[in-house]
Amino acid sequence: MQEEQYNFIIKNSPMAFAYHKIVLDEEGTPCDYIFLEVNNAFEEMTGLIGEQIIGKKVTEVLPLISEETFDYISIYGRIALQGGKAEYEQYFASLQRWYRIQVYSMQQFYFAVNFLDVSKEKQQLEEFLKIQKLVWENELQFRQIIDNLPFALGIIANDGKLLYANEDGLKTFEMSTEDIDKTEIWSYWVDKRDRYRYIRAIETEGFVKGFEMQLQTKSGKKFWTMGSGMIIQYQGQPCILSAHYDITERRRIEVALREKEEKYRLIFENAAETILIVQNNRVQICNPTAMRLTGYTYEEMLQMPFIDFVHPEDRGYASSVYHDRMAGKDISTKQQYRVIRKDGEIAWVEANGVTTSWNGHPALQYFIIDITEQKKAENALRASEEKYRLITEFASDMIWIFNYTNYRFTYVSPSVINMLGYHPEEALSLNLTELIYEESLNRTKEALPQRVKSFIENPEEAHSYMMEMQNIHKDGHLVWVEASSKYRYNAKGEIEILGVSRNIDERKSAQEKVLYLSYHDQLTGLYNRRFYEEELKRLDTVRNLPITLVLADVNGLKLTNDAFGHLAGDRLLIRTAEIIKQECRQDDIIARIGGDEFMILLPHTERREAECIISRIKKAMSVKMFDNIILSVSFGAATKEEPEQSVENIFIEAENAMYRHKLNESNSMRNKTIQLIVNALFEKNKEEKEHNNRVGELCRSLAIAAGLHEEEANELATAGFLHDIGKIAMDESLLYKTEPYTEEEWREVKRHPEKGYQILKASNELSQIAHYVLCHHERMDGEGYPRGIKAEDIPLQSRMLSIADAYDTMTSPRGYHKLRDQTSAIEQLRKNAGTQFDAELARVFVEKVLHKEWT
């Protein structure tokens, strides 16, 4: 019930709430923001419907916002980017209301805004100012009015002595009239600094309003007030006229909202029972279970009279109970009646309603469970004993009768064999201790006497209950069941409990799996970012210092994915996680917080000890390699040693350290990985190795013949050696295929220049060569691939590589390519010069590399 109460507070809070993401222009300046979430109070306050504005920019929803005197986008943007919080008061002319705006950010680019209606406080302040004027004009009239004000008002001398207090002031501070002129009121401030700032503001400005501070009563009870004060002349001396409006409840609600809203919103939306608020015979709010029960949408639920959901034959009863509850009558029993779903189907429900307040007016909060199946069982039981036995013998659920008077089972259906492994005759001899697991048995024994008592007092009422418990199988393992039960008198006047038990092991298992997945990474089985962030908040206390954060980033994950596919990348992540977990201590918290990032959270661990752990992990990885994949991880660590240190800054320090290490380690690791990829390709197909070697040498010769420098010639030779590296990602069968490729196979083959480019550009030393490889199948007429560029747009080195690759493919064919002699190959080069090949380079290749005539 406590969780439901908290949930109710949040959902029905008068404070409007909205959650946004800031939008930046090209210069990084806030220019807009997006609605991510709003609550009901926000919808009521603004008239905007959450479902219509979520995901939209504020300038789309409120085009005139830029004309407001209050610069919402700029002010909110500063908070979203810089963090922290701020508070403003703003008058909304369209609503003729004053609101206090609280904006805060817990994550960069995101911010939340609370709106609280302070019109009443403003109105009271205006009344206070008017009364002050009357004080100056007429002392007697002042006292008559002030004594009846609905807020605390007092006059304080410069030495802090209380000279006057109205009735509400005496009551608020738990004082009597005898305390006036004898009480030093300054001691009633909880924080002396607040008192100093309050007095100083009044002395400096002459008047102050809206000053929030914490005070205490004469007995020491603390409360929050909003104070306003000014200097007046009283009894011939300057004094402070101070007014205080109690805002303790508002502060409590604000705190509750911040701490509980997300948690209890989830509980509300995922509750198994239907929860809704009814006011003036209309649904004001309902959870998703209500929609599943009735089949109506949320909007339809809110538009229909509540009584229209009820079956016509039950509407009189349901309406009578509703009005009795609204009238304050005590109705202790739950009501059962039928509801009509949108599709016309009828469902039985059990409803319990409690009076509450919604937007300041009386309402009913209903908790409703679907008892359709239970009702069907009851009706079948009443219809005839024979039909009852027929149903029980073939039902998959276990049906039973427990004689409470004699405290033993008198009937158990045959389904007990499948559910608990007992034959019905065996089950009848069991007592509750043998059948129900200890924890569930204790709850059952606690509930039975009260339920029996309620049945005896009102035997004509429907006494139906539902409970989840664990039964003990004959072989000893536990079985989760959902037991639905009803009380009755048998023919002998003994109390019997009729029950239906359903196996819910799969449902429980699914719930546990969902809970597990909500806090674990599905791929590695480690904790996920959500768990890490919650655990870090929990552990960020003085007693856990020092706390060391170790950020680990896997090197070369993208390169592995490009070369060997995402399954290989997944295996790399899994193996990395296994080694980190294996080398860490049992209580260390390890989480995968990003695609290739892991976080190790080490409470009670100094930096030196953390470095030892990192060294163990590195050592374990240094000797590990699998599937031609190198295990390489860059680490960064930082330690929080003092309470005042921000854990966010510690994370940034660890992240910076990790990036410094990554700069030193990752390029070397990528070069090693590229070499492994080359080796893997050539091990798959030796013809590819020989072809790439020949193409490399032909490229070198052509570069020298074309007048390139030696360094450029060596670079082009390297491009020739590596030009087919992208084929590592192809299906291996395509490397050996001797028949022409199908259309689908050809599409895969044509991707190898891009794959090669992605692999090679990972290395700083090979980044330029990567571009040559990308373009080596482009044509002078633009009909090549992968980009379809032509002529001079194709790099010179790529045009040379294209000629060398084509010539070797014709004279030393692989797969389905046709063997040509040198003369025929030269003829093909000449024939396609200017369309496929650079004509001038083709001529240089024939004349100066092959030493043959061009014409």
Side-chain angles (χ1 to χ4, degrees):
M1 288 301 296
Q2 184 179 5
E3 291 183 350
E4 295 173 354
Q5 292 168 356
Y6 275 119
N7 180 38
F8 175 74
I9 290 173
I10 292 167
K11 287 299 178 181
N12 299 283
S13 169
M15 179 180 290
F17 170 83
Y19 191 56
H20 307 283
K21 179 179 181 181
I22 200 69
V23 177
L24 306 179
D25 59 20
E26 294 180 353
E27 298 178 357
T29 302
C31 62
D32 212 330
Y33 58 86
I34 300 171
F35 286 88
L36 299 180
E37 184 177 359
V38 298
N39 71 348
N40 297 325
F42 181 89
E43 294 180 336
E44 294 175 2
M45 183 187 83
T46 63
L48 302 173
I49 304 304
E51 294 183 355
Q52 298 175 358
I53 66 174
I54 296 304
K56 292 186 178 180
K57 296 179 179 178
V58 70
T59 53
E60 298 174 354
V61 179
L62 301 171
L64 300 180
I65 190 170
S66 59
E67 299 179 10
E68 292 281 348
T69 56
F70 187 75
D71 191 353
Y72 292 89
I73 295 174
S74 177
I75 293 172
Y76 290 171
R78 184 173 66 254
I79 297 297
L81 294 176
Q82 300 176 4
K85 62 181 180 180
E87 182 171 300
Y88 309 93
E89 283 188 1
Q90 186 67 22
Y91 181 73
F92 290 81
S94 60
L95 301 177
Q96 296 184 343
R97 308 291 290 177
W98 277 90
Y99 291 94
R100 176 170 292 103
I101 304 172
Q102 297 175 332
V103 56
Y104 50 91
S105 174
M106 300 299 290
Q107 181 180 358
Q108 191 176 35
F109 304 116
Y110 296 84
F111 66 95
V113 186
N114 291 336
F115 299 86
L116 185 66
D117 190 335
V118 295
S119 300
K120 181 177 179 181
E121 299 169 15
K122 289 290 184 179
Q123 180 181 0
Q124 290 174 336
L125 180 59
E126 291 173 1
E127 292 175 357
F128 169 65
L129 294 175
K130 292 178 182 178
I131 291 169
Q132 287 178 329
K133 184 177 179 181
L134 293 176
V135 169
W136 296 329
E137 296 175 350
N138 189 310
E139 178 75 13
L140 178 59
Q141 185 177 3
F142 163 77
R143 288 185 178 276
Q144 290 175 342
I145 295 174
I146 294 300
D147 280 341
N148 293 288
L149 285 177
F151 53 84
L153 188 70
I155 300 176
I156 307 169
N158 286 337
D159 60 1
K161 183 178 293 185
L162 180 64
L163 303 179
Y164 169 78
N166 67 351
E167 290 296 328
D168 194 83
L170 294 174
K171 180 180 178 181
T172 298
F173 288 91
E174 298 179 350
M175 294 189 297
S176 65
T177 54
E178 288 76 13
D179 293 313
I180 295 177
D181 289 330
K182 300 177 183 178
T183 302
E184 199 277 307
I185 198 67
W186 297 139
S187 62
Y188 285 66
W189 263 254
V190 174
D191 191 333
K192 309 308 179 190
R193 293 172 296 181
D194 281 348
R195 182 187 74 195
Y196 172 78
R197 288 193 293 268
Y198 181 56
I199 298 172
R200 182 64 182 273
I202 294 174
E203 292 175 346
T204 303
E205 304 295 332
F207 175 74
V208 67
K209 63 179 181 178
F211 194 101
E212 294 190 8
M213 54 197 130
Q214 192 176 29
L215 304 179
Q216 59 187 354
T217 66
K218 186 176 180 180
S219 65
K221 178 182 177 182
K222 294 179 175 62
F223 61 98
W224 283 90
T225 72
M226 178 176 287
S228 299
M230 66 180 297
I231 302 294
I232 66 170
Q233 289 293 324
Y234 185 75
Q235 295 181 355
Q237 61 175 320
C239 299
I240 293 176
L241 177 65
S242 187
H244 297 273
Y245 175 70
D246 191 329
I247 60 170
T248 303
E249 180 63 15
R250 192 201 78 193
R251 295 278 296 213
R252 187 185 68 80
I253 291 175
E254 290 174 353
V255 172
L257 280 172
R258 286 194 294 270
E259 294 179 351
K260 303 296 183 181
E261 179 170 5
E262 179 61 21
K263 175 180 178 181
Y264 290 104
R265 180 179 67 83
L266 291 173
I267 294 174
F268 175 78
E269 292 181 353
N270 294 282
E273 61 187 352
T274 294
I275 304 174
L276 47 84
I277 300 288
V278 178
Q279 187 181 69
N280 297 327
N281 197 30
R282 286 193 178 272
V283 176
Q284 304 297 318
I285 186 174
C286 62
N287 66 348
T289 308
M291 275 103 60
R292 291 194 293 270
L293 173 66
T294 64
Y296 290 98
T297 65
Y298 184 82
E299 292 73 17
E300 291 171 334
M301 292 283 291
L302 269 56
Q303 292 172 1
M304 292 177 59
F306 170 66
I307 204 67
D308 287 0
F309 295 108
V310 182
H311 191 281
E313 296 179 7
D314 296 339
R315 285 177 185 171
Y317 170 59
S319 179
S320 174
V321 173
Y322 169 77
H323 289 99
D324 285 347
R325 288 192 184 277
M326 291 297 293
K329 293 184 179 180
D330 184 17
I331 302 176
S332 58
T333 58
K334 298 178 182 179
Q335 293 76 53
Q336 295 183 359
Y337 43 79
R338 291 163 288 178
V339 297
I340 303 177
R341 291 171 44 84
K342 185 177 181 179
D343 59 9
E345 292 291 325
I346 295 175
W348 274 95
V349 299
E350 182 176 86
N352 185 26
V354 295
T355 56
T356 184
S357 175
W358 180 262
N359 291 334
H361 300 287
L364 275 185
Q365 181 172 2
Y366 278 99
F367 300 91
I368 300 173
I369 59 174
D370 187 341
I371 60 169
T372 303
E373 295 302 319
Q374 177 182 322
K375 272 293 182 180
K376 290 178 180 178
E378 291 178 2
N379 292 336
L381 286 170
R382 292 193 191 96
S384 78
E385 184 70 16
E386 185 60 30
K387 184 183 293 186
Y388 158 75
R389 291 192 178 277
L390 184 62
I391 292 174
T392 58
E393 290 185 7
F394 290 96
S396 58
D397 294 342
M398 183 176 72
I399 303 173
W400 45 268
I401 300 175
F402 183 77
N403 188 305
Y404 182 79
T405 304
N406 299 318
Y407 219 72
R408 66 182 183 86
F409 287 99
T410 58
Y411 175 79
V412 179
S413 67
S415 55
V416 69
I417 299 174
N418 293 328
M419 185 175 291
L420 298 178
Y422 293 101
H423 287 282
E425 296 76 15
E426 293 178 291
L428 290 176
S429 66
L430 299 175
N431 55 45
L432 296 183
T433 304
E434 296 172 302
L435 183 64
I436 305 177
Y437 183 59
E438 181 179 1
E439 186 275 334
S440 300
L441 181 62
N442 292 336
R443 289 190 290 114
T444 302
K445 288 183 175 180
E446 288 178 6
L448 277 175
Q450 184 60 39
R451 293 176 180 177
V452 170
K453 179 183 177 183
S454 177
F455 169 71
I456 294 173
E457 292 174 351
N458 301 285
E460 299 303 320
E461 296 285 346
H463 296 274
S464 300
Y465 305 94
M466 190 170 291
M467 180 179 181
E468 292 183 359
M469 64 176 65
Q470 286 181 291
N471 284 169
I472 304 171
H473 194 276
K474 185 176 182 179
D475 63 14
H477 79 268
L478 300 180
V479 179
W480 272 105
V481 301
E482 182 179 71
S484 174
S485 59
K486 184 184 183 305
Y487 291 69
R488 72 174 187 183
Y489 284 114
N490 65 12
K492 299 179 180 179
E494 299 167 335
I495 298 175
E496 288 184 337
I497 305 174
L498 308 181
V500 179
S501 294
R502 172 170 294 175
N503 188 320
I504 58 171
D505 262 343
E506 289 187 5
R507 188 175 82 191
K508 281 292 184 179
S509 177
Q511 291 172 349
E512 291 175 1
K513 184 176 181 181
V514 169
L515 181 62
Y516 177 85
L517 291 177
S518 69
Y519 285 108
H520 288 77
D521 173 49
Q522 191 169 2
L523 176 65
T524 64
L526 298 178
Y527 291 120
N528 58 17
R529 190 183 193 99
R530 174 185 176 187
F531 179 87
Y532 154 72
E533 290 176 347
E534 293 183 6
E535 193 69 4
L536 182 58
K537 290 179 183 178
R538 184 183 69 83
L539 293 175
D540 188 15
T541 61
V542 175
R543 68 174 181 272
N544 288 317
L545 295 181
I547 298 177
T548 298
L549 303 184
V550 178
L551 187 63
D553 188 284
V554 178
N555 296 320
L557 177 61
K558 184 178 185 304
L559 182 57
T560 299
N561 287 335
D562 289 339
F564 301 110
H566 285 276
L567 290 179
D570 288 347
R571 291 197 297 273
L572 174 59
L573 291 171
I574 292 170
R575 188 66 185 122
T576 300
E578 290 173 348
I579 293 176
I580 293 176
K581 187 174 182 180
Q582 167 187 310
E583 299 301 326
C584 285
R585 301 166 302 190
Q586 185 174 0
D587 294 333
D588 293 340
I589 296 167
I590 310 166
R592 183 185 177 202
I593 62 172
D596 55 2
E597 289 185 337
F598 297 84
M599 175 59 73
I600 307 173
L601 181 56
L602 307 172
H604 302 295
T605 304
E606 296 180 347
R607 181 64 174 272
R608 184 182 302 173
E609 188 176 359
E611 293 292 348
C612 291
I613 294 173
I614 294 173
S615 296
R616 288 204 306 269
I617 297 172
K618 285 185 172 181
K619 184 177 180 181
M621 288 183 176
S622 66
V623 296
K624 301 292 182 182
M625 188 177 76
F626 65 101
D627 295 344
N628 292 315
I629 300 173
I630 296 175
L631 288 177
S632 174
V633 177
S634 296
F635 293 89
T639 303
K640 176 176 179 178
E641 298 175 334
E642 301 297 336
E644 60 271 14
Q645 289 179 284
S646 166
V647 74
E648 289 80 9
N649 291 337
I650 297 299
F651 178 89
I652 294 172
E653 183 181 340
E655 188 176 43
N656 291 338
M658 181 273 292
Y659 282 127
R660 287 195 299 272
H661 293 150
K662 193 172 185 66
L663 287 174
N664 296 327
E665 300 167 355
S666 58
N667 193 60
S668 172
M669 175 268 168
R670 287 194 293 266
N671 289 338
K672 291 179 182 178
T673 301
I674 290 173
Q675 188 58 52
L676 285 174
I677 294 170
V678 172
N679 295 339
L681 174 63
F682 292 162
E683 286 176 5
K684 286 183 180 180
N685 192 316
K686 291 185 178 181
E687 288 186 352
E688 284 291 339
K689 178 179 181 180
E690 294 169 357
H691 166 69
N692 280 261
N693 286 336
R694 289 192 299 269
V695 171
E697 291 303 326
L698 289 172
C699 283
R700 188 195 308 277
S701 299
L702 178 55
I704 294 172
L708 271 63
H709 295 298
E710 181 180 356
E711 183 178 342
E712 294 174 308
N714 291 335
E715 183 182 55
L716 183 58
T718 302
F721 295 145
L722 300 174
H723 76 284
D724 277 340
I725 191 173
K727 290 184 178 180
I728 189 68
M730 286 171 40
D731 188 326
E732 191 171 343
S733 64
L734 296 181
L735 296 175
Y736 301 99
K737 188 168 183 181
T738 57
E739 298 296 327
Y741 296 133
T742 66
E743 184 176 346
E744 182 177 351
E745 290 172 339
W746 182 237
R747 281 198 298 269
E748 182 176 353
V749 170
K750 288 171 69 175
R751 285 197 289 265
H752 81 271
E754 293 179 275
K755 287 292 184 180
Y757 171 75
Q758 294 294 337
I759 293 170
L760 294 174
K761 77 171 185 176
S763 169
N764 295 335
E765 292 83 352
L766 301 176
S767 58
Q768 186 60 44
I769 291 174
H771 197 62
Y772 304 156
V773 170
L774 175 66
C775 301
H776 80 277
H777 277 296
E778 301 289 357
R779 291 169 52 104
M780 296 297 288
D781 58 7
E783 296 298 318
Y785 61 89
R787 297 189 296 169
I789 59 178
K790 62 183 179 178
E792 299 300 322
D793 291 338
I794 306 171
L796 174 65
Q797 291 83 347
S798 298
R799 284 177 268 155
M800 293 182 176
L801 176 55
S802 174
I803 294 170
D805 182 34
Y807 176 77
D808 189 75
T809 299
M810 289 187 286
T811 57
S812 300
R814 294 150 296 134
Y816 70 89
H817 293 287
K818 179 181 178 182
L819 174 65
R820 297 177 183 270
D821 58 26
Q822 188 181 65
T823 301
S824 176
I826 292 174
E827 179 61 27
Q828 287 297 313
L829 292 177
R830 189 163 43 231
K831 179 180 178 180
N832 292 285
T835 56
Q836 180 177 355
F837 308 113
D838 183 309
E840 183 60 30
L841 290 176
R843 180 168 187 158
V844 170
F845 179 77
V846 171
E847 292 181 344
K848 296 186 178 182
V849 176
L850 301 181
H851 304 292
K852 299 295 180 180
E853 290 188 3
W854 176 249
T855 59

mmCIF file of all heavy atoms in Angstrom, residues 182 248 329 444 490 586 741:
data_model
loop_
_atom_site.group_PDB
_atom_site.id
_atom_site.type_symbol
_atom_site.label_atom_id
_atom_site.label_comp_id
_atom_site.label_asym_id
_atom_site.label_seq_id
_atom_site.Cartn_x
_atom_site.Cartn_y
_atom_site.Cartn_z
ATOM 1 N N LYS A 182 8.293 39.103 25.241
ATOM 2 C CA LYS A 182 9.224 38.336 26.075
ATOM 3 C C LYS A 182 10.082 37.374 25.237
ATOM 4 O O LYS A 182 11.026 36.802 25.758
ATOM 5 C CB LYS A 182 8.450 37.519 27.120
ATOM 6 C CG LYS A 182 7.614 38.360 28.072
ATOM 7 C CD LYS A 182 6.818 37.462 29.013
ATOM 8 C CE LYS A 182 5.908 38.295 29.921
ATOM 9 N NZ LYS A 182 5.087 37.442 30.806
ATOM 10 N N THR A 248 5.616 23.747 3.958
ATOM 11 C CA THR A 248 6.240 22.461 4.296
ATOM 12 C C THR A 248 5.710 21.334 3.405
ATOM 13 O O THR A 248 6.478 20.523 2.880
ATOM 14 C CB THR A 248 5.986 22.123 5.769
ATOM 15 O OG1 THR A 248 6.486 23.190 6.574
ATOM 16 C CG2 THR A 248 6.686 20.831 6.154
ATOM 17 N N LYS A 329 -19.683 6.672 3.375
ATOM 18 C CA LYS A 329 -20.106 5.474 4.079
ATOM 19 C C LYS A 329 -18.992 4.438 4.096
ATOM 20 O O LYS A 329 -18.245 4.298 3.122
ATOM 21 C CB LYS A 329 -21.361 4.883 3.424
ATOM 22 C CG LYS A 329 -22.591 5.764 3.563
ATOM 23 C CD LYS A 329 -23.821 5.079 2.982
ATOM 24 C CE LYS A 329 -25.053 5.961 3.148
ATOM 25 N NZ LYS A 329 -26.267 5.313 2.600
ATOM 26 N N THR A 444 0.074 -17.995 4.349
ATOM 27 C CA THR A 444 -1.236 -18.634 4.307
ATOM 28 C C THR A 444 -1.849 -18.716 5.696
ATOM 29 O O THR A 444 -3.033 -18.407 5.900
ATOM 30 C CB THR A 444 -1.106 -20.042 3.702
ATOM 31 O OG1 THR A 444 -0.542 -19.953 2.392
ATOM 32 C CG2 THR A 444 -2.464 -20.721 3.621
ATOM 33 N N ASN A 490 -20.489 -26.282 3.840
ATOM 34 C CA ASN A 490 -20.973 -27.498 3.182
ATOM 35 C C ASN A 490 -22.276 -27.954 3.816
ATOM 36 O O ASN A 490 -22.829 -27.258 4.690
ATOM 37 C CB ASN A 490 -19.901 -28.595 3.217
ATOM 38 C CG ASN A 490 -19.596 -29.062 4.641
ATOM 39 O OD1 ASN A 490 -20.316 -28.744 5.588
ATOM 40 N ND2 ASN A 490 -18.517 -29.832 4.788
ATOM 41 N N GLN A 586 35.965 -11.288 -6.460
ATOM 42 C CA GLN A 586 34.594 -11.785 -6.503
ATOM 43 C C GLN A 586 33.568 -10.665 -6.291
ATOM 44 O O GLN A 586 32.512 -10.658 -6.911
ATOM 45 C CB GLN A 586 34.396 -12.869 -5.438
ATOM 46 C CG GLN A 586 33.012 -13.518 -5.496
ATOM 47 C CD GLN A 586 32.902 -14.681 -4.535
ATOM 48 O OE1 GLN A 586 33.851 -14.996 -3.844
ATOM 49 N NE2 GLN A 586 31.750 -15.314 -4.503
ATOM 50 N N TYR A 741 29.440 -15.980 -61.158
ATOM 51 C CA TYR A 741 28.657 -15.613 -59.981
ATOM 52 C C TYR A 741 27.208 -15.326 -60.347
ATOM 53 O O TYR A 741 26.912 -14.811 -61.433
ATOM 54 C CB TYR A 741 29.227 -14.357 -59.311
ATOM 55 C CG TYR A 741 30.608 -14.525 -58.747
ATOM 56 C CD1 TYR A 741 31.605 -13.573 -58.984
ATOM 57 C CD2 TYR A 741 30.927 -15.620 -57.951
ATOM 58 C CE1 TYR A 741 32.871 -13.702 -58.467
ATOM 59 C CE2 TYR A 741 32.189 -15.762 -57.416
ATOM 60 C CZ TYR A 741 33.173 -14.818 -57.674
ATOM 61 O OH TYR A 741 34.423 -14.962 -57.156
#
